[in-house]
């Protein structure tokens, strides 16, 4: 057993998971102001979540429909704010609406049989050196080839860094289901990506 | 620990979610198994690659699009009837509760209606099917011959029996009314006789079955009113 192998199998150090910066009371004030129709509050909420919502929509439905889905998600957010009771964090609730809007969009697109895999042809890649300069692009492409459920859990947990509990709350499933789905999603991604990180 | 066990635990292991013992077992297997080690390394790179994907900036028109759609939705809201806006304003639990209460109210309404209908049948002296079928020995039918009767036959003869029962009740009341009639003054007798003639005619001209039963019931109500003390007093005071 070599030192290299030992180093390679050590689990990575835990990284800080991104959390919502606003406290619950800030959220409550923001929600109340939005419900009163205050334009500044609505804009503030939009700017607070626009990048996360757009990124999530982009990675679940793909770049071509991301803007439409993000727009739909924000409309659902602002229209649904009066019914937000604060049972979960505002961010969790917004991500849930975003994921739901994205999955609904995918379902509609699937019914219309307009699933476009164009531009995703060159995903299966030959073995690459460890530092793959195109890895991010290949991961983005491979994401689009995953089934929507796997895509959602990967985006929420691995890309957005949410905990299993938060993912389970957003996807309205059990934590155990969330973990097993993540495991399957990562395995499927590895298949799609080929032998990434193979050491020569 | 087998390769299969390791593969199953790999995601949790790499996320640092396994307890010390299980983590050590996975690590021990990985040290000695090159394919699993490769898989772990590959997944680790994938995980890091996913985590390092950049957060994307939305296109500039996104916010204006959201505002436009919100404005359109508000216009559509304003055109909706008031009750739909009120219902839409209720939360999902309130809407569910409202539906549940509505269901309970409908069920209670149906139950009360059935109960009232049954009571009316009883008041009209109509034996229910349950009585006929479950109490064959104690026959309350006015057509009773004292023998154990056939349910189907009883059902078939029910209209006739009910009419006969009404006729018998009316005859009893008539006898009572005639007994009291002797004590009335002439005006009252005249009024009684005129009214009695009318209800009698109604009975005679009514077709067999329910119409005749209805006419008998009207006659019985009239005779009951006349023969009961309160009714007489009320009549004497000119209330009726």
């Amino acid at each position: 057993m070599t030192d290299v192998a030992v180093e390679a199998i050590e689990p990575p150090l835990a990284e800080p998971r991104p959390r919502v910066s606003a406290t619950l009371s800030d959220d409550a004030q923001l929600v109340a102001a939005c419900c009163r129709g205050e334009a500044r509050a609505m804009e503030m909420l939009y700017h607070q979540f626009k990048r996360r919502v757009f990124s999530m929509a982009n990675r679940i439905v793909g770049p071509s429909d991301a803007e439409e889905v993000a727009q739909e998600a924000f409309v659902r957010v602002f229209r649904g704010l009066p019914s937000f009771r604060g049972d979960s964090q505002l961010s969790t609730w917004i991500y849930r609406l975003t994921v739901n809007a994205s999955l609904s969009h995918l379902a509609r697109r699937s019914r219309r049989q307009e699933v476009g895999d164009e531009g995703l042809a060159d995903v299966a890649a030959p073995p690459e050196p460890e530092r793959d300069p195109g890895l991010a692009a290949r991961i983005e492409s491979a994401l689009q080839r995953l089934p929507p459920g796997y895509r959602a859990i990967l985006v929420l947990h691995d890309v957005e860094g949410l905990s299993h509990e938060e993912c389970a709350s957003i996807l309205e499933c059990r934590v155990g289901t969330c973990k097993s789905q993540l495991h399957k999603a990562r395995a499927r991604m590895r298949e799609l990506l080929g032998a990434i990180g193979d050491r020569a | 620990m087998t390769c299969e066990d390791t593969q199953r635990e790999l995601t949790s292991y790499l996320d640092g979610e396994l307890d010390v013992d299980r983590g050590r077992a996975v690590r021990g297997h990985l040290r000695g198994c090159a394919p699993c080690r490769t898989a772990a390394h590959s997944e680790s790179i994938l995980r890091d690659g996913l985590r390092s994907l950049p957060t994307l900036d939305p296109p500039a028109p996104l916010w204006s699009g959201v505002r436009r759609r919100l404005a359109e939705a508000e216009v559509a809201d304003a055109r909706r009837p008031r009750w739909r806006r009120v219902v839409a304003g209720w939360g999902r639990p309130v809407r569910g509760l409202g539906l549940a209460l509505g269901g309970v109210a409908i069920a209670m309404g149906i139950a009360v209606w059935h109960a009232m209908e049954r009571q009316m049948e009883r008041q009209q002296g109509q034996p229910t099917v349950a009585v006929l079928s479950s109490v064959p020995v104690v026959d309350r039918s006015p057509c009773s011959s004292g023998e154990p009767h056939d349910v189907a036959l009883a059902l078939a003869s029910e209209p006739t029996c009910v009419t006969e029962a009404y006729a018998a009740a009316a005859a009893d009341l008539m006898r009572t009314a005639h007994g009291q009639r002797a004590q009335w003054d002439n005006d009252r007798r005249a009024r009684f006789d005129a009214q009695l003639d009318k209800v009698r005619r109604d009975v005679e001209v009514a077709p067999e079955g329910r119409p005749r039963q209805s006419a008998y019931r009207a006659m019985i109500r009239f005779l009951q009113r006349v023969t009961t003390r309160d009714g007489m007093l009320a009549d004497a005071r000119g209330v009726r």
Side-chain angles (χ1 to χ4, degrees):
Chain A
M1 198 63 53
T2 65
D3 287 339
V4 174
V6 170
E7 194 181 344
I9 60 173
E10 286 297 325
L13 289 175
E15 294 179 7
R17 299 268 163 85
R19 296 285 176 195
V20 180
S21 56
T23 63
L24 189 61
S25 62
D26 289 339
D27 282 350
Q29 286 168 6
L30 192 59
V31 168
C34 289
C35 289
R36 288 195 298 269
E38 290 181 19
R40 271 180 56 190
M42 291 171 74
E43 200 163 347
M44 193 183 296
L45 187 140
Y46 167 76
H47 285 302
Q48 189 176 329
F49 291 100
K50 65 179 181 184
R51 298 182 79 223
R52 302 284 292 275
V53 167
F54 180 74
S55 299
M56 212 177 274
N58 189 302
R59 288 183 175 122
I60 297 177
V61 302
S64 56
D65 294 339
E67 184 180 349
E68 181 188 341
V69 171
Q71 204 176 79
E72 169 67 21
F74 273 114
V75 169
R76 288 187 190 189
V77 166
F78 287 117
R79 300 272 293 161
L81 270 179
S83 65
F84 174 66
R85 298 187 307 276
D87 293 342
S88 59
Q89 284 194 30
L90 179 61
S91 57
T92 305
W93 182 72
I94 290 176
Y95 299 154
R96 186 184 303 147
L97 293 187
T98 306
V99 169
N100 287 344
S102 304
L103 295 179
S104 306
H105 181 85
L106 285 178
R108 280 198 303 274
R109 198 167 67 179
S110 170
R111 278 200 296 274
R112 292 198 306 262
Q113 298 182 330
E114 287 179 5
V115 181
D117 281 350
E118 62 277 6
L120 306 174
D122 299 323
V123 172
E128 296 276 349
E130 184 185 3
R131 294 297 173 195
D132 181 355
L135 183 62
R138 290 172 53 217
I139 287 177
E140 293 271 19
S141 298
L143 263 178
Q144 297 305 311
R145 301 187 68 184
L146 279 181
Y150 286 171
R151 210 179 304 165
I153 184 65
L154 268 184
V155 169
L156 289 170
H157 187 272
D158 284 352
V159 180
E160 297 297 332
L162 301 180
S163 66
H164 285 300
E165 286 73 20
E166 287 171 311
C167 293
S169 166
I170 289 168
L171 297 173
E172 295 175 326
C173 64
R174 289 177 302 171
V175 172
T177 308
C178 184
K179 285 181 178 175
S180 69
Q181 289 293 98
L182 178 68
H183 174 70
K184 290 175 187 168
R186 280 191 192 165
R188 184 85 183 98
M189 273 294 275
R190 278 193 283 132
E191 284 174 22
L192 289 170
L193 287 167
I196 54 167
D198 261 351
R199 285 172 189 253
Chain B
M1 182 169 250
T2 63
C3 290
E4 196 179 333
D5 296 334
T6 305
Q7 293 289 333
R8 203 170 41 243
E9 304 272 31
L10 206 52
T11 300
S12 301
Y13 170 73
L14 290 171
D15 288 345
E17 292 167 354
L18 292 185
D19 58 37
V20 176
D21 285 344
R22 286 165 70 199
R24 191 178 294 144
V26 171
R27 196 157 47 239
H29 178 85
L30 291 178
R31 287 184 199 283
C33 177
C36 285
R37 196 161 61 237
T38 304
H41 184 63
S42 167
E43 180 156 336
S44 172
I45 289 178
L46 169 64
R47 198 192 77 133
D48 292 345
L50 284 164
R51 196 150 294 181
S52 62
L53 287 179
T55 306
L56 306 172
D57 278 320
L62 180 60
W63 177 229
S64 57
V66 171
R67 287 173 59 188
R68 180 179 46 77
R69 286 188 55 184
L70 285 173
E72 286 169 359
E74 279 182 355
V75 170
D77 280 350
R79 287 178 183 158
R80 281 194 301 182
R82 182 179 162 77
W83 68 268
R84 284 189 62 186
R85 290 202 300 276
V86 171
V87 171
W90 294 348
R92 194 183 293 175
V94 179
R95 279 200 294 270
L97 184 66
L99 282 174
L101 287 175
V104 169
I106 290 171
M108 284 177 67
I110 290 171
V112 167
W113 181 71
H114 271 294
M116 286 174 67
E117 199 177 45
R118 223 173 288 153
Q119 191 167 354
M120 278 177 66
E121 279 176 2
R122 255 185 254 124
Q123 282 174 350
Q124 290 165 7
Q126 291 180 339
T128 61
V129 174
V131 169
L132 283 173
S133 58
S134 64
V135 193
V137 180
V138 184
D139 192 343
R140 295 177 185 174
S141 163
C143 301
S144 171
S145 60
E147 297 166 6
H149 72 252
D150 183 346
V151 173
L153 190 64
L155 280 171
S157 62
E158 184 188 323
T160 312
C161 295
V162 171
T163 307
E164 284 177 13
Y166 283 146
D172 281 348
L173 285 166
M174 189 80 82
R175 276 193 291 278
T176 308
H178 273 293
Q180 292 173 345
R181 183 175 177 277
Q183 300 164 14
W184 298 340
D185 58 30
N186 289 338
D187 282 352
R188 180 126 194 242
R189 281 183 194 164
R191 283 204 310 273
F192 171 75
D193 291 344
Q195 186 70 24
L196 187 60
D197 279 347
K198 181 179 178 304
V199 292
R200 260 187 191 147
R201 271 199 307 277
D202 288 347
V203 168
E204 283 165 9
V205 298
E208 285 289 341
R210 287 188 181 279
R212 180 159 294 180
Q213 290 169 13
S214 179
Y216 265 124
R217 283 200 298 276
M219 179 187 260
I220 288 168
R221 278 198 299 275
F222 164 68
L223 291 170
Q224 280 175 335
R225 201 167 61 232
V226 169
T227 53
T228 55
R229 190 178 172 191
D230 288 345
M232 288 174 71
L233 286 173
D235 280 349
R237 288 181 197 133
V239 173
R240 297 180 187 224

